[in-house]
Structure formats: structure tokens, C-alpha cells
Amino acid sequence: MSERRNVLTPEALAMMDAIARTGSFAAAARELGKVPSALTYSVRQLEDALDVLLFDRRSRQARLTAAGEELLHEGRRLLQEMDAVANRVKRVASGWETQISIAVDSILSSLTVFELCEAFYALNPPHGPGTRLRLRSEVLAGTWETLVSGVADLALGVSGEHTPPAGIKMELLGELHMVYVVAPHHPLASAPEPLTDAALVHHRAVAVADSAQRLTPITVNLLPGQDVLTVPSVGSKLEAVLRGLGGGFLPESLVREHVQVGRLVRKEVLRMNQAGRLYYAWRASPDGSAGRSRARLGLALQWWLEQLERPATRAALLQRHSGWQPGLLG
């Protein structure tokens, strides 16, 4: 048992990750600054100690066996945990996290997110407070998944369908009003209102793919048998609708200017008007004792939560999809 434990070093796990990501021993060796034969030898040592085959030798590429896939999956998790431990130790020493990861649903205002980043770095110009920011663009259940899986420290734009587990805190961000829009040259632009499901089902819908990898993906406003164009982000969905590739529900604040100048046509639909509540959530201390005081959180996460307590910041995240608004962080 001790021999198996001794071979499962961070270096060995990082080597497995590099081979899987790059697809070959040669490419992984270049990334790690080693020769391919050294990686081959290290893999064989790992296989001998674990008494398993990690790679399919019949394949010319570095194809993992089922055992190799499991080691890769668990190894990545262990590496993340090691980084998290180092981060917590650093935070205890200085109060500021080494890194903070923020998952942002693509339906929110990216302008506002980057203004918050500017304000954060301005705390100690020109380099900021020493905490690296890592932004992740996610969609629907994927935003929540990154938080509960430990990938993100803060998630913006999660739905109220999720029940927070121990160690996760959640607060209301606000309501997002959704409207159905099509391009002026789309057949539905001149159709009588309100549009029924029987009318919508014969026309392509544009949908944003849920970025969740493990949780059940969320599907919204798609009808059985309806043709669907799936895109990776809300911005891509807007572009597709503007081009007449389909119709779809989008935030009213995002399409307002397009409707005003005639680039889009807003259509009333028979189904219930879309208005969804969105929340922001964060990882509290493991025992969940941070509560509202947040005294045990890192200073960087505390700063972001303080900004999110401001009604102007929450409103801007939900509504300000274009233009600059003075006084957001004043």
C-alpha cells in the first residue's frame, strides 16, 4: 500500500494530466520539459506499482484505459484539492487568497463583471491586492456545478432550483425579464399575436447549451419535435436571432436597443411571460459557520460579496448589457 501511495505524487498526476490533454507522450514531454522516454518510463513505473494498465498500447495515440481514465479523473481532483489547501494556507497567512475563481452565467452583463474586476485591481494599483482572478463563463446548471464541485469560489447567476449543500451560501441577485424576439425578415415577425406553441413548433428555436458536465442539463422553452440551433453563449444566441436563424427568449434589457431600431421584433407569446429569479452563491468555510458575518472568508471573496450587496451592482449585472454607467461602484 505504501508503494502505491508513494508513486501517486503530484508530479505523476500532473504527468497523466499533460499526456491526456495533449494526446501524446511527445507533446506532453515538450510541455513538461522532458524527453518522451522519461515519460514512458514514469508511466510504466506507475503501472507496475498500481498493477494496472493506464494506456492502451494498441493505439498509436495516448489512449487511456478505463483504469487510466479513473486515475486521471481522481488525479485532477486531488491536484485541485492540493491547490485549494495551498490557497487556504496562504489566506490564513495574509488574509488575501492566492486565487479566486468566479463563475459567471453568460446571461449576465459582462461589462459589469469587468468593471468589478477593474475596481478590484484598483485596491492596490497597479498589481491589485495580489489575488489572481479567474473568470469562467458558464450556462444554466453549469454555473452551479462549478461552485458545488469546488472549481469556483463564487457563482453569479444561478437559478433558484438548487438547494445549497452545507458550506454553500446563496443570496438573491434579482429577477431577469425575458422576451421572445425574431429578426424582421423571420416568418414569425408578421405572424398574429400571441404566438401559440402550435405556431412556434414549426420554426427553429435558438438555444444556449447548458455547460454542466455532471449535473442534469437544464432545457428551457423547447417544444417536442422543434428544430433547434444550439449555441455556446447568450451572445451567440443573440447573433443567431439577429441573422434570422431562429427565434428565442432573451433578456429584455439585452434586446431593447435592437427592438427600438428595428433589428429585432418582439413578439407576445401565449405561454407564461418569462421572468426568472437569479442568485449568487459562494463557498463559505467548511463548517458553514461564516454565515452573514463572513469573518472567516478570504479578503478577496469578502470584497466581491460586499459589491454584490449593493442594489446598483446587482441591477447592473442583470440589466446593463451595453453602454457605460457612471457611479456603479461609487
Side-chain angles (χ1 to χ4, degrees):
M1 179 62 71
S2 60
E3 181 183 359
R4 294 179 181 178
R5 186 182 301 169
N6 289 338
V7 298
L8 292 176
T9 63
E11 292 77 14
L13 298 177
M15 174 190 68
M16 289 290 295
D17 178 68
I19 296 172
R21 280 188 296 100
T22 59
S24 72
F25 282 71
R30 287 194 297 270
E31 179 178 302
L32 298 174
K34 297 183 178 181
V35 295
S37 59
L39 261 63
T40 302
Y41 178 73
S42 297
V43 168
R44 289 185 183 240
Q45 279 190 315
L46 199 55
E47 290 178 324
D48 290 342
L50 298 176
D51 195 23
V52 297
L53 282 177
L54 299 175
F55 291 92
D56 186 350
R57 298 299 196 272
R58 297 170 299 179
S59 174
R60 291 185 177 181
Q61 293 183 321
R63 182 174 298 171
L64 291 164
T65 63
E69 290 280 2
E70 182 65 16
L71 178 60
L72 176 66
H73 171 71
E74 290 299 320
R76 285 173 171 171
R77 183 185 61 80
L78 288 171
L79 289 172
Q80 288 178 348
E81 287 297 321
M82 291 177 189
D83 288 340
V85 169
N87 191 22
R88 288 195 293 270
V89 171
K90 178 69 174 178
R91 176 167 59 82
V92 169
S94 68
W96 290 97
E97 300 93 316
T98 304
Q99 175 176 287
I100 180 172
S101 179
I102 303 172
V104 183
D105 194 289
S106 70
I107 206 166
L108 299 181
S109 164
S110 61
L111 291 171
T112 304
V113 172
F114 284 113
E115 284 188 2
L116 288 166
C117 291
E118 286 179 335
F120 179 77
Y121 287 129
L123 293 175
N124 183 24
H127 304 295
T131 299
R132 295 191 300 272
L133 294 180
R134 183 179 179 87
L135 300 180
R136 299 178 59 94
S137 179
E138 302 290 344
V139 178
L140 297 171
T143 311
W144 178 253
E145 182 180 88
T146 58
L147 181 69
V148 297
S149 65
V151 174
D153 305 292
L154 173 65
L156 308 179
V158 300
S159 73
E161 300 175 1
H162 309 290
T163 301
I168 299 291
K169 302 296 180 182
M170 189 161 67
E171 293 288 348
L172 180 65
L173 191 62
E175 285 197 352
L176 192 65
H177 183 59
M178 307 288 284
V179 295
Y180 187 83
V181 289
V182 293
H185 57 282
H186 191 278
L188 288 175
S190 57
E193 300 175 276
L195 299 177
T196 64
D197 286 355
L200 292 173
V201 73
H202 297 295
H203 298 274
R204 185 183 304 112
V206 183
V208 183
D210 195 313
S211 60
Q213 300 297 312
R214 297 183 183 177
L215 296 180
T216 303
I218 297 174
T219 301
V220 183
N221 289 316
L222 296 181
L223 301 171
Q226 187 178 22
D227 184 21
V228 181
L229 167 62
T230 304
V231 295
S233 67
V234 173
S236 300
K237 180 174 180 177
L238 173 61
E239 182 65 26
V241 174
L242 284 166
R243 292 176 179 272
L245 300 178
F249 288 93
L250 284 165
E252 190 278 332
S253 56
L254 176 62
V255 302
R256 184 184 303 138
E257 292 184 5
H258 294 288
V259 172
Q260 289 174 350
V261 299
R263 286 192 293 264
L264 288 175
V265 177
R266 176 175 170 178
K267 302 293 290 187
E268 296 299 323
V269 294
L270 193 59
R271 57 176 49 204
M272 186 179 298
N273 198 16
Q274 300 297 304
R277 282 193 160 194
L278 295 179
Y279 296 77
Y280 62 96
W282 67 95
R283 300 183 66 82
S285 59
D287 59 7
S289 61
R292 296 289 296 174
S293 69
R294 304 172 186 163
R296 297 178 61 184
L297 299 180
L299 294 178
L301 182 54
Q302 285 188 49
W303 183 90
W304 280 85
L305 293 175
E306 287 168 3
Q307 308 313 307
L308 291 166
E309 286 179 342
R310 302 182 68 249
T313 302
R314 297 197 301 271
L317 283 167
L318 293 167
Q319 300 172 13
R320 195 169 59 87
H321 291 93
S322 63
W324 179 77
Q325 178 179 322
L328 170 64
L329 301 171

